[in-house]
Amino acid sequence: MTRRSGMTLLEVMVATGILSVVIAVVFSLALSTGDTARVQHARTTAHDEARRALQSVVRELRQAARSSISALPASVITYRAATDLDGNGTAVDVGCTLELSAPRTITPDYDDANGDGVLEDQLVLINGETVSVLANGLFAQRGDEATGSSDGIWFESQGDGLRITVTTFQRSRKGLPIPATLSEFVAPRN
């Protein structure tokens, strides 16, 4: 009697089926891990942009004259900053009057003020003819002016200062927005 080594067709099919299931599980696990990494990267980038926007806005508004700040609450703020206009080394003239710059505006770039073709997801500072981008990825969709719920930036009075709330976003692999919201209080110095 001769003994044959090898596997039957049924054994090969069962082994192939088990191997296919194992490969599918490993593939879905790898895909899920990759998606998680991309979501975390998008969340981190959104937080970085929100932090960058807040740092820029706070630095600007600390120099604002309280009496020059536009009506709040709003998603757009106009103010005048203390500036040394007469060159005496301080922002106060010889008559002890505070010297103020031309009006400055911080706003979502609804009207493409800087002419770069990127609109509402940029936060810009308009200072005369100069337009500076303060942040990208602003979650701005011209929301309800009463609550500022979807304007990406919101300014409101709080005590002796202002509460600034910034919402930025990045997109996930599936195109869903991943938002990050940060808020900070600032007290104008002038």
Side-chain angles (χ1 to χ4, degrees), residues 101-142:
S101 68
R104 298 178 181 182
T105 302
I106 298 174
T107 179
D109 196 6
Y110 294 125
D111 302 319
D112 197 18
N114 59 353
D116 65 356
V118 180
L119 293 173
E120 297 172 345
D121 70 336
Q122 282 187 334
L123 181 65
V124 294
L125 167 65
I126 302 170
N127 184 5
E129 296 296 316
T130 306
V131 179
S132 306
V133 176
L134 300 178
N136 291 301
L138 192 67
F139 194 62
Q141 298 176 347
R142 286 219 185 226

Side-chain angles (χ1 to χ4, degrees), residues 10-178:
L10 182 59
E11 292 171 330
V12 169
M13 289 177 61
V14 168
T16 303
I18 292 172
L19 183 62
S20 297
V21 168
V22 169
I23 288 173
V25 167
V26 169
F27 179 74
S28 67
L29 185 62
L31 190 60
S32 175
T33 303
D35 284 347
T36 301
R38 282 192 274 298
V39 166
Q40 289 301 326
H41 181 266
R43 186 171 288 131
T44 301
T45 303
H47 273 282
D48 287 346
E49 281 299 316
R51 187 173 24 260
R52 186 176 91 148
L54 270 178
Q55 287 174 344
S56 300
V57 171
V58 166
R59 183 175 52 246
E60 278 293 317
L61 291 179
R62 277 199 181 121
Q63 301 304 318
R66 281 190 178 100
S67 61
S68 71
I69 296 174
S70 61
L72 298 175
S75 60
V76 175
I77 191 167
T78 300
Y79 62 96
R80 295 175 68 188
T83 306
D84 181 17
L85 296 176
D86 61 7
N88 68 355
T90 68
V92 178
D93 65 13
V94 292
C96 294
T97 304
L98 186 63
E99 300 173 324
L100 297 175
S101 68
R104 298 178 181 182
T105 302
I106 298 174
T107 179
D109 196 6
Y110 294 125
D111 302 319
D112 197 18
N114 59 353
D116 65 356
V118 180
L119 293 173
E120 297 172 345
D121 70 336
Q122 282 187 334
L123 181 65
V124 294
L125 167 65
I126 302 170
N127 184 5
E129 296 296 316
T130 306
V131 179
S132 306
V133 176
L134 300 178
N136 291 301
L138 192 67
F139 194 62
Q141 298 176 347
R142 286 219 185 226
D144 178 12
E145 276 297 316
T147 64
S149 60
S150 62
D151 285 318
I153 188 155
W154 191 244
F155 303 96
E156 57 190 334
S157 296
Q158 185 177 32
D160 289 339
L162 308 166
R163 168 77 42 200
I164 306 160
T165 304
V166 176
T167 303
T168 59
F169 77 99
Q170 290 291 312
R171 296 214 178 269
S172 69
R173 181 179 70 86
K174 296 178 181 176
L176 300 173
I178 298 174

